[in-house]
Amino acid sequence: MRVKRILFCILGVLTAVNLTATDYLSTRYVDGEFVSECAVDAAAPLSVCDSVVADLVEQITSDYERLFTWAFKGLGRQGGDDERDEVVITIKESTFDKMSGLCHMVADIEVSRVTTFRDIALDSRVLQTKLADGTTRVDVDIFYSNSFLKKAYGTFFVKPLSDTRCEMRIQIHVRFGWFFNLFITQKRFRNIVEWRMQEFMRNLRTEAEKRYTQQLFEGYFIQ
């Protein structure tokens, strides 16, 4: 009975935090470049949020299909939603060199009712640093330039707000190549990219809070 009461208390606290937390999401189009930013608050300490980020980086290269069970959950082909499925990227291969931070991906990019770009190589550099205030920063810079993509880079932050609370924030910059620059309007970008970015951040928050809840229970039973 006591364990059940503790369970309900913890879940109640986490639920209350999520109900009061406000997600931030915005996209602007400046000089041919899309700039999107999303932030969520997570009811979990920095150490737990950092473990989520570490698994994200690790699984992108070692077991990227597993990410669709949590970080990328619900972000693939929507089925029946033509606007959200106008552009679908299918990852076929991914490798990562930890020493250099270089990541190599091979993907098919399907443009609904237009064409499919097959075996597109997406090379990027992933750099993770720890800032003076404890914030974890991950920079991803994609090296690619043709009719699909001119440049793309993003920055991800995990900032401690208290001992048991963090802000997760991501900002991405995308400049498409000539073909997609004609095809991807601001409305299409929001339909294809923006909502996926928000759901991705919510998935990370859910995973962090789930791990923290599990950590609390394990700590209780060990005592």
Side-chain angles (χ1 to χ4, degrees):
M1 183 64 68
R2 183 184 177 188
V3 173
K4 287 184 178 180
R5 285 201 297 268
I6 294 174
L7 171 62
F8 289 137
C9 287
I10 292 177
L11 293 180
V13 169
L14 294 182
T15 301
V17 169
N18 278 332
L19 288 175
T20 57
T22 301
D23 296 351
Y24 173 78
L25 179 66
S26 74
T27 296
R28 62 184 190 275
Y29 185 71
V30 183
D31 297 329
E33 183 172 290
F34 290 94
V35 181
S36 291
E37 187 170 10
C38 181
V40 299
D41 283 0
L46 180 63
S47 59
V48 174
C49 293
D50 277 350
S51 73
V52 172
V53 174
D55 285 349
L56 173 67
V57 174
E58 176 69 23
Q59 291 175 26
I60 280 177
T61 56
S62 64
D63 191 9
Y64 64 86
E65 291 184 354
R66 185 177 174 186
L67 290 174
F68 286 92
T69 66
W70 64 283
F72 296 162
K73 186 176 181 180
L75 306 186
R77 191 183 301 275
Q78 297 302 290
D81 192 329
D82 293 339
E83 290 186 340
R84 291 187 171 186
D85 286 343
E86 281 193 300
V87 178
V88 176
I89 299 177
T90 302
I91 301 173
K92 302 170 70 175
E93 177 187 325
S94 182
T95 59
F96 181 62
D97 182 76
K98 291 184 179 180
M99 294 296 294
S100 65
L102 294 178
C103 179
H104 175 74
M105 285 187 177
V106 177
D108 288 346
I109 302 171
E110 178 186 344
V111 184
S112 179
R113 300 182 299 275
V114 179
T115 188
T116 297
F117 298 88
R118 299 193 181 280
D119 297 327
I120 299 297
L122 297 173
D123 294 319
S124 62
R125 176 175 286 112
V126 181
L127 178 63
Q128 184 169 333
T129 55
K130 180 67 75 170
L131 305 184
D133 66 351
T135 296
T136 299
R137 172 173 175 158
V138 180
D139 293 285
V140 180
D141 193 358
I142 296 178
F143 313 119
Y144 188 78
S145 180
N146 72 0
S147 60
F148 164 58
L149 191 65
K150 195 67 176 177
K151 73 171 183 178
Y153 62 94
T155 307
F156 180 87
F157 296 94
V158 178
K159 179 180 180 179
L161 301 177
S162 70
D163 290 343
T164 58
R165 192 176 178 86
C166 288
E167 178 190 69
M168 293 180 167
R169 180 179 295 269
I170 189 172
Q171 185 180 88
I172 62 172
H173 297 250
V174 180
R175 185 183 296 271
F176 291 106
W178 67 267
F179 176 83
F180 274 80
N181 198 43
L182 295 174
F183 178 78
I184 303 293
T185 61
Q186 293 183 57
K187 181 177 183 294
R188 278 195 170 115
F189 186 87
R190 288 189 170 91
N191 288 336
I192 297 168
V193 178
E194 189 183 68
W195 73 271
R196 283 185 167 93
M197 182 172 68
Q198 183 177 42
E199 290 304 309
F200 166 70
M201 295 296 288
R202 288 174 172 174
N203 285 345
L204 295 187
R205 173 174 62 194
T206 297
E207 179 67 19
E209 293 178 349
K210 182 181 73 174
R211 293 187 186 190
Y212 184 44
T213 301
Q214 182 178 358
Q215 186 182 96
L216 291 175
F217 276 105
E218 289 176 351
Y220 170 79
F221 284 113
I222 289 175
Q223 293 179 353

